[in-house]
Amino acid sequence: MAYRLPGEKEIISAIVLCMVEHNTVHSQRELGRLVRSILSRDATEEFLVSDRRIRKIAIANGLVKLELRYRDAELKNGKFCPICGQRLRRTRNWTLDGKKVVLGISCDRCGYRSGRRGSLPARYIFHARKDSRIAREIVSSGGISQM
């Protein structure tokens, strides 16, 4: 069976249509399955796109409001966000001795926060964003077939 990799615009359209149909999606895997089914509705070939790519595009374009459930774990790489890939910002404080200490890390793009011990996302819950300019444009233009 033939397959192809969809472009970012096609994925954005499918995410918006998915979030219009389903106001809340309770896992990354479920969002990926729904987006792939929307992409394949009118196509003759199958689309290949990873759940991770769909999540990153949705976050980067502000298409979803993200709710996270965490688990305690050691961070493999403390420089980049495990959710969206953006560079993490360290939260620092001064001690009484005049030394700087790192209290935690946070991401400005997606809101990820962790203390010194570290935590990783265990579950992603995606909520539709009503205020997204991109979402309004796609819904008013009729969806994927116009892209």
Side-chain angles (χ1 to χ4, degrees):
M1 176 177 234
Y3 71 88
R4 74 179 184 96
L5 301 175
E8 190 167 330
K9 285 185 178 183
E10 291 173 309
I11 295 172
I12 289 171
S13 298
I15 292 169
V16 168
L17 293 175
C18 174
M19 296 313 291
V20 167
E21 289 178 17
H22 309 276
N23 200 27
T24 300
V25 179
H26 292 280
S27 73
Q28 177 177 302
R29 183 178 296 151
E30 183 182 353
L31 179 66
R33 184 183 56 77
L34 291 169
V35 167
R36 280 188 294 276
S37 71
I38 289 172
L39 285 170
S40 298
R41 276 184 191 166
D42 301 324
T44 56
E45 65 260 357
E46 185 179 346
F47 285 95
L48 288 182
V49 60
S50 71
D51 299 340
R52 182 174 184 232
R53 182 176 178 213
I54 292 169
R55 180 193 77 220
K56 285 189 167 197
I57 289 173
I59 293 168
N61 290 290
L63 302 175
V64 294
K65 181 180 167 204
L66 195 60
E67 181 183 335
L68 298 168
R69 304 284 163 85
Y70 295 102
R71 65 180 171 86
D72 291 337
E74 276 298 316
L75 294 176
K76 293 179 184 175
N77 182 355
K79 293 182 181 180
F80 298 100
C81 178
I83 299 168
C84 67
Q86 174 118 356
R87 191 164 186 84
L88 291 171
R89 184 174 48 87
R90 291 192 169 122
T91 306
R92 295 188 171 116
N93 200 3
W94 292 92
T95 64
L96 295 174
D97 300 339
K99 298 176 184 175
K100 282 186 185 178
V101 291
V102 176
L103 297 176
I105 52 176
S106 62
C107 178
D108 294 329
R109 182 190 288 171
C110 68
Y112 169 75
R113 294 194 185 296
S114 179
R116 280 187 282 171
R117 283 192 17 209
S119 61
L120 291 175
R123 178 167 297 271
Y124 297 94
I125 301 173
F126 301 91
H127 300 284
R129 265 191 118 144
K130 305 296 186 227
D131 60 341
S132 173
R133 177 187 57 81
I134 296 171
R136 285 194 304 268
E137 289 174 5
I138 291 172
V139 170
S140 65
S141 72
I144 295 174
S145 59
Q146 301 296 324
M147 286 289 171

